[in-house]
Amino acid sequence: MSVGPREAAGNQAVVVRVAGPTATIAVDGRELEARLRPRVPGGPAVAGDRVELVDGGEEPLVVGVAPRRTVLRRGDGHDRRPRAVVANADVVLVVAAVRDPPIRPPLIDRYLVAAEDGDMDAALLLTKADLPHEDAAVAELAGRYRGIGYPVLCGSAKDPAFVERVRDLIGGRVAVLAGHSGVGKSTLTRGLTGVERAVGEVSGKARTGRHTTTDPRLIPLIGGGAVVDTAGVRTFHLPRMERADLEAGFPEIARAAHGCRFRGCAHDGDAGCAVEGAVHPERLESYRRMLADLR
């Protein structure tokens, strides 16, 4: 059943997907196509945004974006200007494969910082556990993040039992699936929602993932909540942020920093730093690299 422009105007409207100058909007459980007004106040609109619609003639017109409760941002361009990717989500589920493509902890760490910066919870999903892999290395990685306080699930996106564990973790919230290309986000989305997304194969060249999803799309879950399947990436740059905000994205560093001798310690070899030795060395190296990017 379609919704006419006059009927849609003024109703509760949520962006499902943005494609250039148009957007798919959910209104009272139904979807319609709307035009985006250039330089819309509060925008540009992204998946998850609550928007204001007016009668635009043949189709509704998006004329405003409501203040966002949360936002996942990335840094664009040389100056790393912030660009919203998803709005009003509750949790970022960082998806990484145990192999093909190999796990990249620095990328995981960047997404975890972005989740904290955007006021969202975060968890780690380790997929492709049905493929041969080093059990000890995966267990160490999972323990590393569980020790910080992040939930970690390990399994196969093709396994219904694993999909149900992920569904339970989401628990009626709006969850963003984010991570490297080829790790199974679209397969997991299909398992959670029954909605087909473009699913590709992992490239044989350097075992890197191919992009299969090109735009974030909000898909409701039966029983409440929703998932947003985002495009697979090979790099994820953080937007410019203050050092204190970066430190907050590493909870174990923020906790250990209370023991530093000097206030404002950068944890980069400073005298009297209490962080080195108290934090996993790979996590500390991730922090230092991100700190260097901010300078």
Side-chain angles (χ1 to χ4, degrees):
M1 180 178 180
S2 62
V3 181
R6 294 185 183 280
E7 182 183 354
N11 287 356
Q12 174 77 16
V14 179
V15 176
V16 172
R17 173 178 175 268
V18 174
T22 64
T24 303
I25 309 292
V27 180
D28 294 335
R30 294 166 288 179
E31 293 186 358
L32 57 92
E33 298 302 309
R35 289 183 292 117
L36 297 170
R37 192 175 81 178
R39 296 179 293 277
V40 60
V46 297
D49 269 323
R50 273 62 175 169
V51 295
E52 179 185 357
L53 298 176
V54 298
D55 185 356
E58 293 184 358
E59 56 188 0
L61 180 66
V62 175
V63 296
V65 175
R68 292 160 174 159
R69 180 172 53 85
T70 68
V71 60
L72 177 66
R73 302 182 190 86
R74 65 178 301 158
D76 269 3
H78 179 72
D79 58 354
R80 305 287 172 82
R81 60 189 179 279
R83 181 174 73 85
V85 179
V86 178
N88 300 311
D90 301 296
V91 58
V92 177
L93 303 182
V94 186
V95 187
V98 298
R99 58 168 292 177
D100 294 340
I103 295 174
R104 295 173 57 196
L107 180 61
I108 294 172
D109 294 337
R110 287 178 182 271
Y111 272 117
L112 294 177
V113 171
E116 176 68 31
D117 184 58
D119 293 326
M120 291 167 285
D121 294 333
L124 176 60
L125 306 182
L126 298 175
T127 61
K128 300 192 178 181
D130 54 324
L131 299 180
H133 60 275
E134 296 183 14
D135 289 339
V138 172
E140 188 281 328
L141 185 85
R144 181 191 315 175
Y145 288 99
R146 287 192 182 108
I148 299 168
Y150 295 109
V152 180
L153 298 181
C154 186
S156 169
K158 299 177 182 179
D159 179 5
F162 177 70
V163 173
E164 288 308 307
R165 290 168 62 201
V166 175
R167 190 189 307 277
D168 290 342
L169 176 63
I170 294 171
R173 298 178 290 177
V174 176
V176 180
L177 298 180
H180 196 286
S181 304
V183 295
K185 296 187 303 298
S186 294
T187 301
L188 185 56
T189 298
R190 182 179 59 196
L192 288 165
T193 67
V195 175
E196 291 286 344
R197 296 284 280 174
V199 177
E201 297 178 353
V202 175
S203 169
K205 183 179 181 181
R207 306 307 296 169
T208 57
R210 289 177 181 160
H211 292 270
T212 56
T213 301
T214 58
D215 54 273
R217 180 183 176 189
L218 181 76
I219 308 174
L221 292 172
I222 296 174
V227 295
V228 184
D229 184 15
T230 64
V233 301
R234 293 185 177 89
T235 59
F236 181 82
H237 295 297
L238 292 170
R240 291 289 179 186
M241 64 179 64
E242 297 297 324
R243 190 179 69 190
D245 295 326
L246 174 63
E247 184 176 297
F250 287 80
E252 75 278 37
I253 292 180
R255 289 191 291 266
H258 291 296
C260 290
R261 182 184 304 172
F262 300 107
R263 187 175 181 181
C265 178
H267 322 309
D268 196 14
D270 304 285
C273 179
V275 170
E276 193 160 356
V279 172
H280 192 285
E282 286 192 27
R283 285 278 290 173
L284 184 55
E285 180 60 22
S286 282
Y287 169 82
R288 287 171 172 170
R289 287 181 179 177
M290 293 182 210
L291 181 63
D293 286 344
L294 296 179
R295 292 172 175 167

